[in-house]
Amino acid sequence: MASGDRRDSPPAAGEMKNGVASGDTIQKQLPQPHPALAPPIQSQRLRLNPNKDHKPESYEDLQLDYSPSIFSSLERYLPPTMLGMNRDEKAKFMREILLKYLPNGERSRSHRHREYRQKIISNYQPLHRELYSMHPAAFFVPSFLKAISGNTEQSFRSVISEPSPGVFTFEMLQPHFCELMVTEVENFENWVNETKIRIMRPNTMNKYGAVLDDFGLETMLDRLMEGFIRPLAKVFFAEVGGSTLDSHHGFVVEYGKDRDVDLGFHVDDSEVTLNVCLGKQFSGGELFFRGMRCEKHVNTGSQSEEIFDYCHVPGRAVLHRGRHRHGARATTSGHRINLLLWCRSSVFREMKKYQKDFSSWCGECSRAKKERQRVSIVAAKSELLKIEGGLLKSEGESKT
């Protein structure tokens, strides 16, 4: 998108991005079970609701593509016929499910990432070690902590604003935390340049920035998602798996001179996205939102009530669905750096395969459903009028 472009309609078909590579599609087949142990493939679906009485196994000692906690969380959703299988079979089944939801561009990266991360974590010396574990009182502003501890929609809404449907904003990070994170990222980038290690960028749309998970911040960001974002998502984004967020992609992006300038119209590869400005001094860079869409309707036009622009403020967070179409206008001066956390639900992504109606959150599906209801009501009224007219006619004839 060109600098300063204020296009309110989405791009032509095929142009929409998903936060990674254009044109990627999610595979629709179910994972192949072990023929000797598993029942027929058609029964191998995750449960809609978790088995709360089942105690999941620990996967900490296995070499896995994802955090072991994801496997323990997902195990409660396994079909009953699989719960008695050995741990390796369950891990294999869940891994195949999870791999389907890595976009093609990231799927090839996942294997390289393990070696890449291990190399970095073994050699990189953090500048601020206090960032690598969760310290809520030092990280978050008191009002946010109080709202989270209340753990009710009322306590959340006491500090959260919803200036546009599905876009939530709130004060979140302490200024000192923002400063530490900015200098930590700068320290990592300097180290990468000195050691000549090729840095992996957050996605194919941003040419600057870094993946925070790659240099040791994965555990802290897991705690951020589990303890602070998931409670909010459970209330505000339940229909897109907000209560079952179980993995994340955490990164920073940088805009300004000799950095990215703007970001084109796109959707994120997430169920829920947290976007927090860390600083520094800058002008421009507004986020523009243009309504939520399912995959079928991602390139449809925007309604006037869906158009919203947001100005970044350091320490202030924006929380929205990953499918909420958005972009970033040009940063016209200074240097802007933002922390993003793409939160994902493997359970929701599996269940979405069997769902056809997304009218609870997709603007276009909702409008289509309302139109069907309107047409149905009009047809019903017309039929009633015909019946009423016939009765009156019959009554008139009987009187004569």
Side-chain angles (χ1 to χ4, degrees):
M1 181 173 290
S3 175
D5 185 357
R6 297 186 62 87
R7 179 172 59 188
D8 290 338
S9 297
E15 189 179 341
M16 176 66 72
K17 306 291 184 180
N18 67 351
V20 281
S22 177
D24 285 345
T25 57
I26 294 176
Q27 298 298 314
K28 294 297 182 183
Q29 73 271 22
L30 289 168
Q32 184 69 39
H34 192 289
L37 297 174
I41 186 69
Q42 59 266 29
S43 67
Q44 296 305 290
R45 298 180 179 180
L46 293 179
R47 296 164 56 101
L48 182 60
N49 298 305
N51 184 338
K52 296 181 179 179
D53 296 327
H54 176 71
K55 184 178 180 180
E57 298 192 56
S58 171
Y59 294 84
E60 296 288 341
D61 59 321
L62 297 182
Q63 294 294 320
L64 302 167
D65 300 285
Y66 305 90
S67 169
S69 62
I70 297 177
F71 287 82
S72 295
S73 173
L74 192 59
E75 186 177 321
R76 292 181 184 272
Y77 291 85
L78 290 180
T81 53
M82 294 199 67
L83 293 178
M85 292 184 177
N86 64 56
R87 188 178 62 159
D88 288 341
E89 287 296 329
K90 287 187 288 189
K92 178 183 177 183
F93 178 83
M94 290 186 284
R95 178 180 179 274
E96 289 177 351
I97 287 177
L98 292 167
L99 280 175
K100 288 191 300 178
Y101 303 111
L102 273 178
N104 293 337
E106 287 189 14
R107 185 176 298 178
S108 61
R109 288 173 27 149
S110 64
H111 300 290
R112 301 198 308 270
H113 251 161
R114 281 179 298 191
E115 294 181 357
Y116 171 77
R117 286 185 180 180
Q118 188 56 48
K119 181 179 180 180
I120 289 176
I121 293 172
S122 299
N123 295 281
Y124 173 66
Q125 296 299 315
L127 182 63
H128 303 297
R129 291 191 178 275
E130 62 267 37
L131 293 175
Y132 290 74
S133 55
M134 177 55 69
H135 302 288
F139 290 2
F140 307 120
V141 298
S143 59
F144 177 71
L145 283 178
K146 183 178 179 181
I148 293 296
S149 65
N151 198 30
T152 65
E153 181 173 354
Q154 183 179 3
S155 70
F156 298 156
R157 288 195 180 276
S158 69
V159 298
I160 292 177
S161 300
E162 189 177 4
S164 182
V167 179
F168 298 89
T169 67
F170 50 95
E171 298 296 332
M172 182 180 185
L173 297 179
Q174 296 267 19
H176 184 57
F177 172 87
C178 295
E179 293 170 6
L180 293 181
M181 185 60 75
V182 168
T183 55
E184 185 68 46
V185 170
E186 290 173 346
N187 184 65
F188 173 67
E189 291 176 335
N190 291 335
W191 177 80
V192 165
N193 291 332
E194 291 172 1
T195 55
K196 307 300 182 184
I197 292 178
R198 182 181 178 184
I199 189 171
M200 289 189 177
R201 299 302 179 184
N203 51 63
T204 58
M205 294 184 72
N206 288 100
K207 295 180 173 59
Y208 295 89
V211 179
L212 299 175
D213 301 316
D214 286 347
F215 57 96
L217 287 162
E218 182 176 17
T219 299
M220 186 275 282
L221 294 176
D222 265 337
R223 300 292 179 267
L224 171 60
M225 180 189 71
E226 293 167 1
F228 301 91
I229 303 307
R230 194 158 61 196
L232 298 175
K234 181 179 181 180
V235 171
F236 299 120
F237 305 118
E239 74 286 355
V240 293
S243 63
T244 57
L245 300 177
D246 55 16
S247 66
H248 75 265
H249 177 50
F251 57 96
V252 292
V253 291
E254 299 180 68
Y255 295 88
K257 186 178 180 181
D258 300 324
R259 296 289 190 274
D260 288 317
V261 176
D262 55 19
L263 190 64
F265 196 56
H266 67 285
V267 296
D268 296 336
D269 179 27
S270 69
E271 274 59 74
V272 177
T273 292
L274 173 74
N275 186 342
V276 194
C277 181
L278 300 176
K280 304 178 179 179
Q281 297 293 323
F282 60 90
S283 299
E286 300 87 355
L287 279 180
F288 60 92
F289 290 92
R290 295 296 182 266
M292 295 160 277
R293 296 291 187 274
C294 65
E295 292 178 20
K296 178 181 177 181
H297 297 123
V298 70
N299 286 307
T300 57
S302 301
Q303 304 298 312
S304 59
E305 66 271 15
E306 296 177 318
I307 297 173
F308 174 67
D309 284 20
Y310 170 80
C311 296
H312 287 291
V313 177
R316 190 168 180 81
V318 184
L319 195 68
H320 60 86
R321 293 170 182 82
R323 299 295 307 186
H324 203 139
R325 303 178 301 177
H326 60 285
R329 304 200 189 286
T331 296
T332 53
S333 67
H335 180 196
R336 177 169 69 85
I337 180 168
N338 281 52
L339 183 157
L340 285 99
L341 195 67
W342 285 355
C343 303
R344 298 159 173 165
S345 168
S346 53
V347 172
F348 174 75
R349 294 186 177 206
E350 178 69 7
M351 295 306 175
K352 192 170 64 171
K353 297 191 309 179
Y354 313 107
Q355 186 177 355
K356 296 180 180 179
D357 179 20
F358 301 102
S359 59
S360 63
W361 56 271
C362 171
E364 201 62 31
C365 286
S366 177
R367 278 184 284 278
K369 182 176 181 179
K370 289 177 181 177
E371 177 61 19
R372 289 195 300 272
Q373 292 173 338
R374 188 193 67 79
V375 170
S376 177
I377 290 171
V378 169
K381 286 182 176 179
S382 176
E383 189 64 26
L384 286 172
L385 288 172
K386 287 180 181 178
I387 294 173
E388 184 179 348
L391 290 173
L392 290 172
K393 182 178 180 181
S394 298
E395 185 179 339
E397 292 174 349
S398 64
K399 287 181 178 179
T400 59

